[in-house]
C-alpha cells in the first residue's frame, strides 16, 4: 500500500439518516458532528438543506468544527431549468457550507428509467450544476450514483458523466456502488481503469454493504489509487448500510501506509464515538463489532484465555486500549 493521503468523508448525518427507524434531532446532529471532528475526519456531510426542515435548520446554525469541513448534500439540477434557477441548488448556495456534494446519475439505465430524460440532458445537468458551485468558489464533489453498475453495462457513458463533472472543476469524483453488489476485485479493476482518465488524487469511493463487502471494497478502491473514502459510524445506512468508518479508520491508521488526518492517538476516541451514536439512537451496540465491540477483545476460559494471560498478542491483533476498548477474560464453569 502507498503513502498517499486519504481523505475521510463521514455521511452519518445524511446517508446514515436513511436507516429504517433512525431520526436525528438537532442536538443529536451537533453532538455527533463534534465527536467526528474531534476524531479528525476531513469532511462531514451534515444533510440535505432545502429537502427537509431539520437539515435546513442544522445548516442555518451549524456547529463549529475544528478539524472538519462541513459539507452540504444535494442533487444535480432538474431538466428544463437553469442551475441558477433550480430551488434545490439555491438552497445549497444559501448555506455557509464551504463544500458541496451533489449526486447525479452515471448509469444510463437510471437516466432512461428513473429520470426519464435523454443521456445528453443528464450530462448537461451535471455540467451546469458543477459550473455553478465552482463559480461560487465552493469545494465541489460529484457523487456518481450507481457508477460501478453503470460502468459494467456502458463504460463509455459512465465515464462521460464523471469526466463532465471533472472537466468543470470538481475537486472530487466519488464512484458509488449504490446497490452494494460489486465485489472487491471488480472495484479494484474499475478504479484502476478510471484512474487512467481521472487522477487518483481526485477519486473517491462510496460503498454500500449489501454483500458485506463495503469496507473491503473501500480498501480495494484506495489500493487502486482513490484518495477519498465515504462512510458512516457503525456502518449506518439504508438497507444493509454503508462502509463502516469505525472499522475502516483504524485499519487505515494501524495496518496500512496511508496517511490520514486521524492521528493514532485519536483512535482512543473510536469506541466512545461508536457508542455515542448508539446511545443517541437508543440502539443496542453490536457486541461483536470489530475494534469497538464489547466482545472484540473478550476471551472465554480455556485455551485462548490461558494464552492471553501469558501474552495478549496470542489472540489479539492490536491492544484494545489503542481504540479506547477493554480486554475481558471470562472464566466459565
Amino acid at each position: 500500500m502507498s503513502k498517499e493521503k486519504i481523505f475521510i468523508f463521514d455521511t452519518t448525518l445524511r446517508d446514515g439518516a436513511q436507516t429504517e427507524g433512525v431520526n436525528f434531532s438537532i442536538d443529536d446532529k451537533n453532538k455527533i458532528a463534534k465527536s467526528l471532528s474531534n476524531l479528525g475526519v476531513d469532511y462531514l456531510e451534515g444533510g440535505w438543506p432545502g429537502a427537509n426542515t431539520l437539515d435546513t435548520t442544522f445548516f442555518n446554525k451549524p456547529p463549529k468544527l475544528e478539524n472538519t469541513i462541513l459539507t452540504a448534500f444535494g442533487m444535480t439540477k432538474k431538466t428544463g431549468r437553469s442551475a441558477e434557477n433550480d430551488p434545490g441548488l439555491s438552497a445549497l448556495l444559501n448555506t455557509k457550507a464551504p463544500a458541496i456534494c451533489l449526486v447525479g446519475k452515471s448509469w444510463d439505465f437510471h437516466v432512461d428509467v428513473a429520470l426519464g430524460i435523454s443521456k445528453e440532458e443528464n450530462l448537461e445537468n451535471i455540467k451546469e450544476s458543477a459550473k455553478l458551485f465552482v463559480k461560487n468558489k465552493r469545494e465541489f464533489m460529484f457523487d456518481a450514483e450507481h457508477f460501478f453498475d453503470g460502468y459494467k453495462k456502458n463504460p463509455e457513458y459512465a465515464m462521460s458523466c464523471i469526466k463532465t463533472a471533472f472537466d468543470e472543476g470538481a475537486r472530487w469524483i466519488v464512484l458509488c456502488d449504490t446497490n452494494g453488489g460489486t465485489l472487491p476485485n471488480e472495484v479494484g479493476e474499475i478504479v484502476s481503469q478510471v484512474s487512467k482518465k481521472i487522477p487518483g488524487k481526485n477519486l473517491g469511493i462510496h460503498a454500500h454493504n449489501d454483500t458485506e463487502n463495503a469496507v473491503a471494497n473501500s480498501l480495494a478502491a484506495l489500493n487502486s489509487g482513490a484518495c477519498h473514502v465515504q462512510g458512516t459510524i457503525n456502518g449506518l445506512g439504508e438497507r444493509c448500510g454503508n462502509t463502516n468508518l469505525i472499522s475502516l479508520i483504524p485499519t487505515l491508521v494501524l495496518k496500512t501506509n496511508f496517511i490520514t488526518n486521524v492521528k493514532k492517538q485519536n483512535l482512543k476516541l473510536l469506541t466512545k464515538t461508536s457508542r455515542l451514536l448508539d446511545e443517541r439512537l437508543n440502539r443496542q451496540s453490536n457486541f461483536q463489532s470489530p475494534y469497538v465491540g464489547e466482545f472484540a477483545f473478550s476471551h472465554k476460559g480455556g485455551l485462548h484465555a490461558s494464552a492471553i494471560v501469558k501474552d495478549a498478542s496470542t489472540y489479539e491483533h492490536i491492544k484494545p486500549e489503542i481504540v479506547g476498548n477493554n480486554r475481558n477474560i471470562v472464566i466459565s464453569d
Side-chain angles (χ1 to χ4, degrees), residues 43-187:
Y43 298 92
L44 184 138
E45 192 170 62
W48 190 335
N52 60 74
T53 302
L54 179 71
D55 288 354
T56 301
T57 302
F58 177 77
F59 277 94
N60 284 342
K61 191 177 180 181
K64 293 181 180 179
L65 304 176
E66 298 292 334
N67 308 303
T68 303
I69 298 171
L70 182 63
T71 306
F73 177 85
M75 64 182 294
T76 53
K77 81 171 188 70
K78 293 185 180 298
T79 299
R81 62 181 57 183
S82 67
E84 288 78 8
N85 292 316
D86 187 279
L89 300 190
S90 295
L92 300 179
L93 276 179
N94 289 335
T95 71
K96 297 178 182 178
I100 303 294
C101 182
L102 291 189
V103 65
K105 302 296 186 184
S106 60
W107 185 3
D108 59 350
F109 169 69
H110 268 259
V111 175
D112 296 338
V113 176
L115 295 183
I117 61 176
S118 71
K119 297 177 182 62
E120 292 73 23
E121 286 174 319
N122 183 55
L123 293 175
E124 182 71 8
N125 292 344
I126 295 170
K127 177 181 179 180
E128 294 304 314
S129 299
K131 284 173 63 176
L132 177 68
F133 291 105
V134 173
K135 179 178 69 176
N136 282 276
K137 301 188 185 307
R138 304 295 180 96
E139 182 176 355
F140 178 70
M141 50 194 85
F142 177 64
D143 268 11
E145 189 180 30
H146 296 285
F147 178 80
F148 291 95
D149 289 322
Y151 188 91
K152 285 184 276 188
K153 298 292 185 180
N154 186 341
E156 292 79 12
Y157 186 73
M159 285 299 302
S160 69
C161 292
I162 62 174
K163 194 70 165 53
T164 295
F166 181 69
D167 288 346
E168 292 301 331
R171 167 67 180 92
W172 293 110
I173 300 296
V174 183
L175 312 179
C176 302
D177 184 31
T178 312
N179 286 352
T182 309
L183 299 181
N185 62 302
E186 296 176 298
V187 169

Side-chain angles (χ1 to χ4, degrees), residues 179-199:
N179 286 352
T182 309
L183 299 181
N185 62 302
E186 296 176 298
V187 169
E189 291 166 4
I190 291 172
V191 172
S192 294
Q193 291 300 314
V194 172
S195 64
K196 295 176 181 178
K197 301 290 181 67
I198 295 175

